[in-house]
Amino acid sequence: MGYDIFPAFARNLASMSVSKQERILIAVSGGPDSMALLHLFLRWNKRNVGVFHLNHGFREAASQDAAFVRDYCRNLNIPVEIQEYDINRYLAVSGESKQQGARKIRYQLLRNFAEAGGYHRVALGHHGDDQAETVLMRILRGAGLHGLGGIPLQRGIFIRPLLTVYREEIVRYCQEFEVPHIFDETNFEPIYLRNKVRKELLPYLAQEYNPEIVPNLVQLSELARADELELQSRAEEICKGSMRWKRGQLVFPRDRFLELSTSMQRRVLRRMLQAYQGHLLRIDFGHIEEWRQHILENTSYRLSLPQIWVSGTVDYIFVGEVSGEKWEPVELTIPGQVRVGGFTIQAELGDRDSLPPRTEDSEDFDLEELQLPLVARTRQDGDRMRPFGVEGTKKVKDLLIDARIPLQARDFLPLICDQEGILWIPTVRRSQRAPITASTTKVLRLTQIRP
């Protein structure tokens, strides 16, 4: 058939080294993109796929959408998980926009279910038109080379096998292969920036300036991403040769930094933050540039960036705070806070249905399944833990290695334990112990409070 997109789908899986032995969780809304994605995976390997659908309750037809996905999967004997979440209540508490909040919750629920269900990858239905929209939106916002790279084909456990396929091809595929689907009319309401770009700006640019604007934007993302990867690789080489860990801080020689070009200086600073805390959440160009100017203009400084402190002397650039000497175990009161090993750990209590959604810095436990009191301590020889969603136990040492925790930081990292064993290693993993279930009433939430 002329619109069989399976070859492009299979090439993308191969480029991401996805094997048929891996279990794939597919996010399915019921729209043509996700239904085509599911159909393609069933052609590729039906045995190791499962489906996740989130009923966010935004639309009156949301329950019908969930029933459509559930019935389709059950008819084909495909494992399906339908979850409901009151995102409107979350938005009222968090103050986030509707699209931003929904995306955050959707990704977190997908990640949680994939981990609990033993899935290796989560497949999303983003396609080439989504890529073009993203790149154009980032141009409007003044993005740099990294932002112009757009949506990655894969990030962590999330993969996007349709990213090189366009919306028109997907709709035609559904027609020719008789793939049933539904349409979410809110995707076409011009009240959000992405919808305005999709329905107004891109069609206008195509009609008045360049009919190839969509593939050209996709090509721009590919070129920008390739260049960015090359520059990132160079920045990593520089950091590997000059960056050191000392007493829990990352240290970089100031004179080596001043030898670098402005572009590479910015990348080295971003790489240092990434290496220290594992992400760049809430860090934007302004933060990096403010930090860089402090390095250039001041022999000594101390600067608070989102979630982290940076500082410098005439000789060195520092990320983070000195961890100090190895610390003694501390009991964690509930509710309460302790500061250990450079971490602040907070314990909260709440009813299962009243707590706001947890963040990536939090974990929830069934209070009645725990053996109190809780203790924060450093690792010990022979420590083992059964990670959430994993059969059997693993050495804590191996978990820290897998999480790329620097050797110099491992002896300062807190392990949160009850009287039966390890519950949570902040920034690393939680254990299988005391999961939240339908019978849970009281929830203990542990949170790493970042500066």
Side-chain angles (χ1 to χ4, degrees):
M1 292 185 180
Y3 276 82
D4 190 357
I5 57 179
F6 185 84
F9 163 83
R11 282 195 300 270
N12 287 335
L13 291 183
S15 72
M16 294 182 286
S17 301
V18 179
S19 74
K20 292 186 177 181
Q21 285 68 47
E22 294 181 273
R23 300 190 67 219
I24 312 296
L25 181 65
I26 308 168
V28 177
S29 67
D33 310 336
S34 61
M35 290 299 292
L37 181 65
L38 172 58
H39 190 269
L40 289 161
F41 266 110
L42 295 180
R43 292 174 63 189
W44 185 69
N45 182 28
K46 180 180 178 179
R47 291 177 300 173
N48 283 341
V49 302
V51 166
F52 181 96
H53 175 88
L54 173 62
N55 179 356
H56 46 55
F58 282 155
R59 303 160 53 240
E60 292 183 3
S63 296
Q64 297 175 16
D65 297 350
F68 167 79
V69 173
R70 181 186 62 241
D71 293 344
Y72 181 83
C73 292
R74 287 180 176 175
N75 288 338
L76 294 177
N77 199 29
I78 306 166
V80 58
E81 171 74 5
I82 307 291
Q83 290 193 9
E84 296 184 8
Y85 198 96
D86 188 352
I87 294 180
N88 284 319
R89 187 177 69 174
Y90 168 76
L91 297 178
V93 174
S94 68
E96 295 178 84
S97 69
K98 186 176 180 179
Q99 288 193 321
Q100 179 187 29
R103 179 184 182 279
K104 180 177 180 180
I105 293 300
R106 182 168 59 251
Y107 275 73
Q108 188 62 54
L109 293 177
L110 279 165
R111 188 181 291 107
N112 292 347
F113 184 75
E115 187 175 79
Y119 289 94
H120 303 95
R121 313 258 193 161
V122 177
L124 306 174
H126 296 104
H127 49 69
D129 293 78
D130 293 323
Q131 183 73 290
E133 293 161 10
T134 298
V135 173
L136 186 52
M137 289 165 61
R138 292 183 179 177
I139 290 173
L140 295 175
R141 291 167 174 163
L145 197 60
H146 177 76
L148 295 181
I151 307 170
L153 197 61
Q154 63 177 329
R155 178 183 287 137
I157 65 171
F158 294 99
I159 60 174
R160 300 172 176 87
L162 298 182
L163 203 56
T164 60
V165 179
Y166 294 100
R167 182 182 291 117
E168 180 183 352
E169 296 173 292
I170 292 172
V171 172
R172 184 67 177 271
Y173 177 88
C174 289
Q175 293 171 346
E176 295 206 12
F177 283 85
E178 298 182 347
V179 180
H181 55 274
I182 55 180
F183 282 101
D184 182 351
E185 64 277 3
T186 61
N187 288 334
F188 302 96
E189 296 175 356
I191 56 176
Y192 307 111
L193 177 59
R194 181 175 290 276
N195 289 1
K196 289 181 179 180
V197 168
R198 175 182 302 154
K199 297 300 294 180
E200 298 175 0
L201 184 54
L202 271 174
Y204 177 75
L205 293 173
Q207 180 177 339
E208 298 293 332
Y209 293 94
N210 186 350
E212 298 299 312
I213 183 66
V214 169
N216 284 353
L217 286 169
V218 172
Q219 177 179 283
L220 172 61
S221 74
E222 294 170 354
L223 294 173
R225 191 179 310 113
D227 288 349
E228 178 66 13
L229 288 174
E230 185 73 21
L231 291 168
Q232 283 182 3
S233 177
R234 174 61 180 148
E236 289 177 4
E237 290 178 6
I238 292 170
C239 287
K240 185 177 180 180
S242 300
M243 188 172 67
R244 297 290 182 268
W245 286 90
K246 185 176 182 181
R247 297 180 66 191
Q249 287 183 303
L250 270 180
V251 183
F252 194 96
R254 188 169 180 269
D255 57 357
R256 177 71 178 103
F257 181 85
L258 297 177
E259 296 172 356
L260 304 174
S261 68
T262 298
S263 174
M264 195 53 62
Q265 286 178 351
R266 291 169 179 152
R267 281 176 168 78
V268 164
L269 295 182
R270 289 175 61 88
R271 182 72 189 99
M272 290 180 70
L273 292 178
Q274 178 78 39
Y276 185 86
Q277 59 184 9
H279 62 80
L280 291 169
L281 298 176
R282 297 173 57 195
I283 298 294
D284 59 27
F285 174 81
H287 297 122
I288 297 297
E289 194 61 12
E290 181 183 10
W291 184 13
R292 195 176 72 86
Q293 291 301 321
H294 274 283
I295 296 170
L296 298 179
E297 298 171 3
N298 303 305
T299 56
S300 179
Y301 66 89
R302 178 173 167 82
L303 177 65
S304 176
L305 300 181
Q307 303 183 338
I308 195 168
W309 283 96
V310 295
S311 56
T313 65
V314 67
D315 294 317
Y316 294 103
I317 300 165
F318 301 95
V319 176
E321 298 184 87
V322 176
S323 296
E325 301 301 323
K326 196 166 182 177
W327 45 275
E328 296 299 318
V330 178
E331 184 173 321
L332 179 54
T333 57
I334 305 174
Q337 282 188 8
V338 294
R339 180 163 178 79
V340 286
F343 287 74
T344 299
I345 306 298
Q346 174 179 279
E348 303 172 89
L349 277 181
D351 297 327
R352 185 171 72 102
D353 296 328
S354 64
L355 278 171
R358 66 179 181 85
T359 68
E360 293 184 350
D361 294 325
S362 302
E363 293 292 347
D364 289 345
F365 299 87
D366 187 330
L367 182 67
E368 295 182 358
E369 297 297 317
L370 300 177
Q371 299 297 319
L372 303 179
L374 300 186
V375 174
R377 64 168 176 83
T378 54
R379 63 174 178 153
Q380 300 171 357
D381 290 340
D383 270 340
R384 300 185 71 91
M385 184 180 84
R386 181 185 173 188
F388 190 80
V390 174
E391 292 295 331
T393 63
K394 293 191 69 173
K395 293 179 180 180
V396 168
K397 176 183 177 181
D398 293 337
L399 291 173
L400 299 182
I401 292 173
D402 292 343
R404 298 183 179 179
I405 302 299
L407 179 63
Q408 297 86 342
R410 294 174 197 168
D411 287 334
F412 301 105
L413 194 66
L415 280 58
I416 312 302
C417 313
D418 70 353
Q419 296 305 297
E420 288 191 1
I422 302 168
L423 299 175
W424 181 42
I425 310 175
T427 74
V428 180
R429 293 293 291 270
R430 68 156 287 165
S431 76
Q432 183 68 31
R433 301 256 328 279
I436 304 303
T437 66
S439 61
T440 299
T441 56
K442 288 292 184 182
V443 175
L444 168 67
R445 172 165 295 175
L446 299 177
T447 303
Q448 174 198 350
I449 305 296
R450 297 183 183 270

